[in-house]
Amino acid sequence: MSACAPDHATDSARTQRSHPPHSPPPWWRGIRPAGADVSAALAVFLIALPLSLGIALATGAPLQAGLVAAAVGGLVAGRLGGSPLQVSGPAAGLTVVTADLIARYGWRTTCAITVLAGLAQLGLGCLRVARGALAVSPAVVHGMLAGIGVTIAVAQLHIVLGGSPQSSVLDNLRALPAQLAALDPAALAASALTLALLLLWPRLPGRAGRLLRRVPAPLAAVVGATAVASLTGLALTRVDLPSWRSHALAGLPEGPVLGLVAAVLSTTLVCSVQSLLGAVAVDKLTAARSGPATGPGRSDLDRELLGQGAANIVSGALGGLPVAGVAVRSSANVRAGAVSRNATMLHGALVVVAALLMVPLLELIPLPSLAALVMAVGVQMVSLHHIRTVTRHREVLVYAVTTLGVVAFGVLEGVVLGVAVAVALALHRLAHTRVTHEEREGAHYVLVRGQLTFLAVPRLSRTLHHVPQGTHAVVELGGSFMDHAAYESLQDWQRTHTAQGGTVTFTGHRAGLRTGAPVPPTTLTVSTTTTATATATAPNAPTGAGCPGPANHCRPWTPWRDHGSRARFTTGRGSGSQDEWGPSREQLARGVGAFQRDTAPHVRGELARLAREGQRPSQLFLACADSRVVTSMITASGPGDLFVVRNVGNLVPPPDEGGDDSVAAGIEYAVDVLGVRSITVCGHSGCGAMQALLGSGSGSGSGSGSQDHRTPLGRWLRYGRPSLDRTADPGGLEPVLAGRRPADAVERLCLANVVQQLENLRAHDAVACALREGRLELHGLYFHVAEAQTYLLSTTEEREGVFTRVDATEGLTSPA
């Protein structure tokens, strides 16, 4: 059994619903929160309490409105939403929109707008458009959040300095010099203390630090600043919570119709996008925490939209702020170990208790401390990681325009500007294709950079006609899209050029292009060392070398299919020569050259970053040296993701047996130096080492030196004897592969070997220590080569030795 978290998804009945897809489960199901849910709810409550008050302060709303929204988000959205572990409440992303609405229409009309936005979300959820909302460019979304973060930070800076914010960012910036000249030392001291605690609390060292870090940093910062302010008697403005009897509820909307419609659209847009993106992020956090076999399952985004709409209706009607999924609270909920929606609901109930019984304590909190807390949240919304990502994808212009638009004009206007720039940029890339011709070492190279559409056909045809007849031509296709017109143009030119005695080589993303006419095989060489990652759209296109189907549907890694049998060199037509096996040196040089030409330009930037920053892999991957097991392919990983240790038989020698320290050294380096979060032992079908062990154990003899302990291979394979003994134990558990017994003795040993090597791993000191501290997980993986199918080892004791099939939707099918 692996040392992962308990498996909560093994009951196949979880996926069977007796109620409509968008309705909540019956009220009597799951009303008993597990211990993990209780502790997670408490942790989220301690974070939500100060943040809710701070966000209400930043919007200019009554402070009770933040508590109302937090309670409703936990109870209503937590119960009805489609993302069980997402925590909803007043979100920093809504601060700018809400503050603008309050300034324009007043508080009661803002509450009515929140109700109308909730109704709009219900309509969108019923139309099942939630997944389509994620089609918005990430650069626009991140730019919107960054613009909101800048607006929040600049506004709260005035309160931190002891003043009051203005109505817009530009006004706040213009008023900043005067505010600096008249700053309040007491407010600045409380704010500085809050920020210092917020920054340093997660970094407290030692055993005492580990205990103190269990208290959330936002709570520690606010409590610390409140205690110091109270003990020193600083004259500060503090939280004022009027009686709930005087709390203002929603009223009828008053104002111009078009303005109210725009307000509802803005609120709906920000609430929906932030909640849906948050639900997707929570799914990723849950999968990273527990592995794909555990957790409450993937989010139902349409149901999440319905739950958010219902929460906004209730919150607005009760005089609360707009509600959306909150990243800080959701990530805390997942990391605290929550396993169901009960944690979210319990957190909402705790907020209700605090709002009714803790008013005297809450009124001790200084407002500058809350402002500093919200300012820090605003600064964190401008993510350097997002900026690097959009820069790498050449969308920094979209990001910058959206951010500046939100800062200067408002959220809705900024998003519209960002979408317009994103569309214009996409059209420019689609229409702008650069085609050049050059001669190198006797070959004529036609370089195509960009997407090949009918707009680029005239430019492509002019360049192709510059290639002399009877010569060798290399066409490098650097784009990922080719329409029918461009495909036919290339195909016609290819036929003409080869008929005149020339040869043609296609390389790049569209290297699968071949003529449908019976062309002699010596006239065309198709590169087999490039990654075909796009889908050709040409109708009735013939099958290419890298495109195995009649629909010319290229998929990643297909160019390596039967790579060895097609690694050959080609001579020109009519030369009397034929295809021959290339010498090994030429094959190596050809493969390396293809990497430098086709792959290196795309990964050079990322590899340069890794060279500067050093490697930070998240996983140690222990695999067999078998050439059919391509670790980066079966895990869809790239440079810097995996720290790989490979050997014959994916064996892990126990630490108490001397003779080989190479694997132990790799384990120690990965765990103690690189700080990997998981270790995966990957076995595979048809393993030669396991076959040799079986031959040695049966005494049948295979003629292999692997059975002779006098040879290096024989001495190495002795570390696999415990796996062989495991299969021979009549009282042991037989491995199960997706509900079936192993097909033969070799498969049985391959599966048992994965389980055995995980046990050997736990005996290593570095692994044992990391497991005790909860910073490491162990996983078992089995790759069936012939089926190209992966199976993940179950993580529960009652299903020890059960390997579950991983399906194409990143989930697991039932093992039964």
Side-chain angles (χ1 to χ4, degrees), residues 1-8 290 293-294 778-779 792-797 799 802:
M1 130 179 205
S2 70
C4 302
D7 188 350
H8 300 286
S290 308
T294 64
L778 302 185
H779 303 286
L792 192 65
L793 180 63
S794 174
T795 58
T796 57
E797 293 184 3
R799 296 175 60 210
V802 175

Side-chain angles (χ1 to χ4, degrees), residues 445-452 474-482 490 505-513 525-535 544-547 552 554-560 593-602:
Y445 286 79
V446 177
L447 313 178
V448 181
R449 296 295 177 263
Q451 316 311 319
L452 270 178
V474 179
V475 181
E476 295 187 4
L477 303 173
S480 59
F481 175 82
M482 181 194 306
L490 275 175
T505 299
F506 289 94
T507 66
H509 290 301
R510 311 305 309 161
L513 180 71
T525 301
V526 180
S527 170
T528 62
T529 54
T530 57
T531 304
T533 58
T535 302
C547 309
N552 200 21
C554 301
R555 298 191 182 279
W557 301 98
T558 54
W560 279 269
F595 165 78
Q596 294 297 146
R597 180 181 63 247
D598 302 318
T599 307
H602 300 289

Side-chain angles (χ1 to χ4, degrees), residues 498-650:
T498 53
Q500 294 169 347
T503 60
V504 179
T505 299
F506 289 94
T507 66
H509 290 301
R510 311 305 309 161
L513 180 71
R514 289 180 71 181
T515 177
V519 180
T522 57
T523 64
L524 176 65
T525 301
V526 180
S527 170
T528 62
T529 54
T530 57
T531 304
T533 58
T535 302
T537 58
N540 303 321
T543 302
C547 309
N552 200 21
H553 190 71
C554 301
R555 298 191 182 279
W557 301 98
T558 54
W560 279 269
R561 177 172 57 87
D562 197 20
H563 180 270
S565 64
R566 291 184 291 116
R568 56 190 73 185
F569 59 92
T570 303
T571 57
R573 181 181 179 183
S575 64
S577 61
Q578 59 183 3
D579 288 352
E580 302 175 9
W581 291 108
S584 60
R585 181 180 178 85
E586 291 190 18
Q587 292 184 30
L588 175 63
R590 209 166 30 246
V592 173
F595 165 78
Q596 294 297 146
R597 180 181 63 247
D598 302 318
T599 307
H602 300 289
V603 301
R604 187 170 287 118
E606 178 66 11
L607 290 176
R609 182 188 67 80
L610 290 171
R612 290 192 307 270
E613 301 176 2
Q615 61 170 327
R616 298 177 183 174
S618 61
Q619 184 173 167
L620 166 61
F621 205 85
L622 286 158
C624 183
D626 194 296
S627 63
R628 298 166 296 180
V629 180
V630 185
T631 57
S632 58
M633 179 176 71
I634 64 177
T635 58
S637 56
D641 292 338
L642 300 180
F643 186 75
V644 181
V645 173
R646 304 187 67 158
N647 59 54
V648 175
N650 49 274

Side-chain angles (χ1 to χ4, degrees), residues 33 37-38 41-42 44-46 48-49 67-79 87-88 341-358:
D37 285 334
V38 174
L42 183 60
V44 175
F45 161 72
L46 295 177
L49 195 62
L67 300 177
V68 171
V72 171
L75 293 171
V76 178
R79 184 58 179 166
V87 181
S88 301
R341 64 180 70 247
N342 291 326
T344 304
M345 296 172 61
L346 183 56
H347 129 270
L350 291 174
V351 173
V352 173
V353 173
L356 296 176
L357 303 180
M358 295 177 59

Side-chain angles (χ1 to χ4, degrees), residues 101 104-116 249-255 260:
L101 295 181
R104 289 189 183 187
Y105 303 110
W107 174 242
R108 293 172 65 87
T109 298
T110 300
C111 292
I113 290 172
T114 302
V115 173
L116 293 175
L249 303 179
L252 292 176
E254 297 178 358
L260 292 174

Side-chain angles (χ1 to χ4, degrees), residues 628-786:
R628 298 166 296 180
V629 180
V630 185
T631 57
S632 58
M633 179 176 71
I634 64 177
T635 58
S637 56
D641 292 338
L642 300 180
F643 186 75
V644 181
V645 173
R646 304 187 67 158
N647 59 54
V648 175
N650 49 274
L651 301 177
V652 180
D656 53 351
E657 295 187 20
D660 187 276
D661 289 330
S662 61
V663 178
I667 295 170
E668 180 180 348
Y669 186 79
V671 175
D672 291 342
V673 179
L674 298 178
V676 297
R677 296 188 297 272
S678 67
I679 302 179
T680 299
V681 175
C682 178
H684 68 95
S685 61
C687 180
M690 299 301 105
Q691 295 178 31
L693 278 171
L694 281 173
S696 174
S698 64
S700 59
S702 64
S704 170
S706 63
Q707 301 175 31
D708 188 351
H709 287 187
R710 293 171 297 178
T711 67
L713 182 57
R715 289 193 295 271
W716 170 254
L717 287 180
R718 76 179 186 273
Y719 297 121
R721 293 292 306 185
S723 301
L724 190 61
D725 296 340
R726 176 182 287 268
T727 61
D729 183 5
L733 292 176
E734 182 177 39
V736 177
L737 191 65
R740 67 169 175 83
R741 300 180 64 184
D744 51 32
V746 175
E747 186 169 72
R748 182 182 300 107
L749 181 56
C750 291
L751 295 173
N753 185 54
V754 172
V755 179
Q756 180 62 45
Q757 303 315 314
L758 287 172
E759 288 190 7
N760 292 351
L761 265 175
R762 294 188 188 91
H764 286 259
D765 292 340
V767 175
C769 178
L771 289 174
R772 285 195 302 270
E773 295 177 357
R775 54 185 174 88
L776 184 67
E777 294 179 351
L778 302 185
H779 303 286
L781 198 69
Y782 179 75
F783 180 62
H784 197 292
V785 176

